[in-house]
Each structure stands twice: as structure tokens, then as C-alpha cells.
Amino acid sequence: MSLPADYHMHTPLCRHATGEPGEYAARAVALGLPEIGFSDHSPMPQDNFDSWRMNLDKLDEYVAKVRRAQKDFPQLTIRLALEADYLPGYEAWIRDLAARHPWDYFIGSVHYVSDDWAVDDPQKVSEWKHRDARQVWSVYLERLAMAAETGLFEIIGHADLPKKFGHGPPPDCAPLCAKFLNAAKKSGCAIELNTAGLRKNCHEIYPSREILQLAFRTGVPITFGSDAHAPEEVGMNFVEAVRLAQEAGYRQCCRFARHKRQFVPI
Ligand SMILES: [Zn+2]
Ligand SMILES: [Zn+2]
């Protein structure tokens, strides 16, 4: 099986990843990956927004690091991207970021269901005790649909992230999930198979088999991402992810160059 591109990986500039881009690239070459993309956590307009993203004054350094890896690894296609947080009201900021560099793609991710709580934050996992899981999932899926509708993102990241610590989606959230996937289809946005979920309490790829099957029936394209925060995580569990995609019906995935989409067989 030839492996697909790994489009989701971080750098130490986000303050919670280790290893330089060159080390991630070397790992990708060793695994025989054809292509990777760096998609570090985007800066927010205010640097103290949280503690797990790059500050705005690091953005140029980030781009320079990725460019350096591109030069050092000419045998590997390396894309320049960002994982941008989607919160309602931040559309203009994301557009501002998009205009700053010649990005290949943006992953739009919803981590925040309110201005001060990211559902996947390990420092704030106790917050789940005070929240109604159904309410969290509703807001999360509504925000995913909004993110897809903006047209600002080529890919929507880890589409069922609230399951990370074991809080699966309530069954009555299915219509909201369908609403999100229809929005993705309409705006031509892909979703990713993100293997980081296998390394978390949920022990499952994001998104679940059920969501992926519905995505296929809806006509939403896919990409693959390890969400690597260390070089050894590059391409992790990709054989399993490709198998899951194929079982859901997929025969191709997408790649992006300067926001232009191309389909490749899997
Ligand atoms: Zn994320
Ligand atoms: Zn990520």
C-alpha cells in the first residue's frame, strides 16, 4: 500500500510540540511518504489567547523553517499550511492570516466551544464535569458547520474532537452532523482522517467510522493527518486510516498546492 500525504503536523513554535521541521521531514522520507504539510496552530490577534499556539511575531520564523525544510528535502513535497482555530467572529482575522503568506491550505479546526474553553485541553479536562455533553456537542457541530460555510478552509480538522476524553456524541446529534457535512460538501471543503485520536483516551481515529461513512455518502472529500507533535508521530497509523477510508467507500483523497485541489488514488 502506498501511503497518502500527511497534512497535519506541528512545530515547537506552538509551544507544545518537539522536533524541528527537518526531523519531521526525515521521518516522512524514512516511511516513504510522498508528501507532508506543516499545519501549526495559528496565532490569534492577542498572544495571550492561550498557551498552545505560536505568537504572531513567530509567524515569519515558522514560514522560514518550513521553507528551510523544503530546501533540505528536495525529494519530498512539503506544503506550507496552518491549523487555524475557528470561532465565530474570527473570520476577518483568518482572512488577514491567509493574506500574509502563499499558503497551500488551511485546516479549520474547532477546539473552542466558548471563548475560554477548548474541549481537548488536557489542562481543563475537569471542565467536562461541569458541562452538559449534549450541549457541548451541539455547539461544537454548529461551529463546524459555520467553519465549513466560511469557505476559508480547504480542510476541516478532527471533525469529532469532543470524543477525545471519552465523551462520545449523543445519538440525537446526528442531524447536526449531517448539517455540517452538507455544508462541507457545498463549500468544497474536505475533512481529514486524523490518527491522533488513536493515541488519546477515545482510541479512535477522528472522525468515527459512522461519520466517515456519512461523509462519503454526502460527497465530502478527505485528507489524512497524523497531527504529529513529535517527529516519530509522522504518518502514524496511516495503514489503518487508509483501510478505514476504503471501507467507508473512498478511493481517492486530495492534495493542495496554493489552495488548488487535486485528487489522488488511495
Ligand atoms: Zn487541532
Ligand atoms: Zn493539530
Side-chain angles (χ1 to χ4, degrees), residues 101-250:
H101 291 281
W103 310 102
D104 290 306
Y105 59 90
F106 267 21
I107 298 178
S109 288
V110 174
H111 302 101
Y112 283 88
V113 291
S114 59
D115 284 353
D116 57 357
W117 186 49
V119 294
D120 63 325
D121 188 344
Q123 309 293 324
K124 295 188 178 176
V125 66
S126 65
E127 185 68 21
W128 274 101
K129 289 191 202 124
H130 314 297
R131 303 263 183 164
D132 173 22
R134 209 179 145 271
Q135 178 69 12
V136 172
W137 272 96
S138 300
V139 175
Y140 179 81
L141 290 168
E142 287 283 6
R143 288 187 172 196
L144 273 195
M146 289 166 80
E149 277 163 9
T150 62
L152 293 169
F153 310 112
E154 279 73 23
I155 304 164
I156 295 293
H158 41 61
D160 59 356
L161 184 65
K163 75 180 176 187
K164 177 178 175 180
F165 298 115
H167 307 85
D172 54 353
C173 278
L176 280 178
C177 196
K179 181 182 165 185
F180 154 60
L181 291 170
N182 285 324
K185 163 71 183 166
K186 203 169 160 201
S187 66
C189 196
I191 59 169
E192 62 166 4
L193 275 86
N194 181 317
T195 60
L198 291 167
R199 313 193 290 273
K200 312 294 182 195
N201 293 20
C202 59
H203 302 300
E204 211 182 76
I205 288 171
Y206 306 113
S208 66
R209 180 181 296 268
E210 292 69 30
I211 295 176
L212 198 63
Q213 285 169 338
L214 185 56
F216 177 73
R217 288 200 298 273
T218 309
V220 178
I222 52 166
T223 59
F224 293 84
S226 62
D227 215 339
H229 284 69
E232 63 270 20
E233 291 174 350
V234 170
M236 206 174 241
N237 298 113
F238 264 34
V239 171
E240 205 172 330
V242 170
R243 200 183 307 127
L244 178 63
Q246 289 171 339
E247 285 167 5
Y250 285 98

Side-chain angles (χ1 to χ4, degrees), residues 8 10 41 83 227 229:
H8 195 148
H10 294 272
H41 293 288
E83 179 179 15
D227 215 339
H229 284 69

Side-chain angles (χ1 to χ4, degrees), residues 41-54:
H41 293 288
S42 66
M44 282 300 203
Q46 60 281 43
D47 283 340
N48 61 354
F49 188 85
D50 57 33
S51 58
W52 47 270
R53 66 188 59 256
M54 74 177 86

